[in-house]
Amino acid sequence: AQSVTQPDIHITVSEGASLELRCNYSYGATPYLFWYVQSPGQGLQLLLKYFSGDTLVQGIKGFEAEFKRSQSSFNLRKPSVHWSDAAEYFCAVGAEQAGTALIFGKGTTLSVSS
Amino acid sequence: GAGVSQSPRYKVAKRGQDVALRCDPISGHVSLFWYQQALGQGPEFLTYFQNEAQLDKSGLPSDRFFAERPEGSVSTLKIQRTQQEDSAVYLCASSSRRGEGNTGELFFGEGSRLTVL
């Protein structure tokens, strides 16, 4: 079955500390992988995406993610968290074919403490 | 428009009422998706349109849910005889300009929050 697992429901990180959000996927085809962020009352904003090539991808707001095929993982990282990063983060998997629906994980809520 | 626009942003309905939610995708986008996001959950796929054709409606939870995109642009998600379990945020997303390669990326609207009392 195709699925995305985000093992951490809620993470609290001190401002300035590093962050890693975990994502594991199960997908039958070559995966396209995404991380989206959602602030309260807002839609989802794309942070970064991986299609092929370099397995370390850079995104907006200083985020990066590394694709590890052997581990079926696509973990999101940030070296130094800012208070404005507090939000809900969703990992998603899709495919190359146009019209393929993205499958989302249940999300990880990030809280940032001062 | 510049982004995906959804209306209404908030809708309160009494159980049994019919509701209609509108999505105005990014101009020129061929693909349009509807997702349902329950509280504390990730978005779950409902249905997909390529232009005016509804190619996948496997995610619609019951025959009370109906979606259309008659001219290949604006889409409406209709829920008949609403039930409390229909309470959720309904997200619309669009992608893929005609003639361009598929990036797989979806552009989301801010959603319509439906509360059924």
Side-chain angles (χ1 to χ4, degrees):
Chain A
Q2 301 177 132
S3 64
V4 175
T5 301
Q6 293 181 246
D8 305 304
I9 296 173
H10 190 184
I11 284 182
T12 299
V13 175
S14 298
E15 190 169 16
S18 64
L19 169 71
E20 182 169 26
L21 302 182
R22 295 182 291 165
C23 173
N24 293 96
Y25 67 90
S26 173
Y27 202 68
T30 301
Y32 281 14
L33 293 157
F34 304 83
W35 275 98
Y36 281 84
V37 62
Q38 186 178 38
S39 297
Q42 302 297 311
L44 291 104
Q45 180 184 21
L46 181 69
L47 285 176
L48 48 77
K49 59 189 177 186
Y50 171 78
F51 292 163
S52 63
D54 192 347
T55 56
L56 184 64
V57 294
Q58 303 297 320
I60 63 171
K61 305 183 181 183
F63 286 91
E64 66 179 26
E66 185 172 12
F67 171 58
K68 293 185 177 180
R69 184 183 300 276
S70 62
Q71 299 177 18
S72 297
S73 70
F74 188 57
N75 294 349
L76 181 71
R77 302 195 293 249
K78 186 170 185 178
S80 177
V81 168
H82 188 262
W83 64 266
S84 61
D85 293 325
E88 186 91 17
Y89 290 81
F90 293 96
C91 180
V93 64
E96 181 178 4
Q97 183 180 0
T100 303
L102 296 187
I103 299 171
F104 285 84
K106 293 185 183 295
T108 298
T109 300
L110 174 65
S111 298
V112 180
S113 62
S114 57
Chain B
V4 178
S5 178
Q6 294 188 243
S7 62
R9 289 291 314 278
Y10 303 92
K11 175 69 178 178
V12 178
K14 292 182 179 178
R15 188 161 56 93
Q17 280 185 330
D18 298 348
V19 300
L21 308 176
R22 175 190 168 104
C23 173
D24 214 328
I26 292 173
S27 179
H29 274 187
V30 169
S31 299
L32 186 146
F33 298 81
W34 283 98
Y35 281 82
Q36 181 190 58
Q37 186 177 20
L39 189 64
Q41 301 295 313
E44 294 197 355
F45 169 75
L46 292 177
T47 188
Y48 162 65
F49 289 86
Q50 182 178 7
N51 297 307
E52 69 279 3
Q54 188 176 19
L55 299 186
D56 187 349
K57 52 182 181 180
S58 62
L60 295 177
S62 78
D63 58 8
R64 296 186 295 104
F65 286 71
F66 171 77
E68 60 183 6
R69 193 186 185 196
E71 297 179 358
S73 178
V74 171
S75 177
T76 304
L77 175 67
K78 298 179 179 178
I79 309 173
Q80 298 176 324
R81 304 181 303 280
T82 52
Q83 304 294 315
Q84 285 190 320
E85 61 263 28
D86 300 334
S87 296
V89 176
Y90 291 86
L91 296 166
C92 177
S94 70
S95 72
S96 302
R97 294 188 186 281
R98 192 186 307 278
E100 293 180 356
N102 176 44
T103 65
E105 177 183 351
L106 300 187
F107 296 84
F108 283 85
E110 294 184 326
S112 292
R113 180 179 295 276
L114 172 64
T115 302
V116 182
L117 303 177

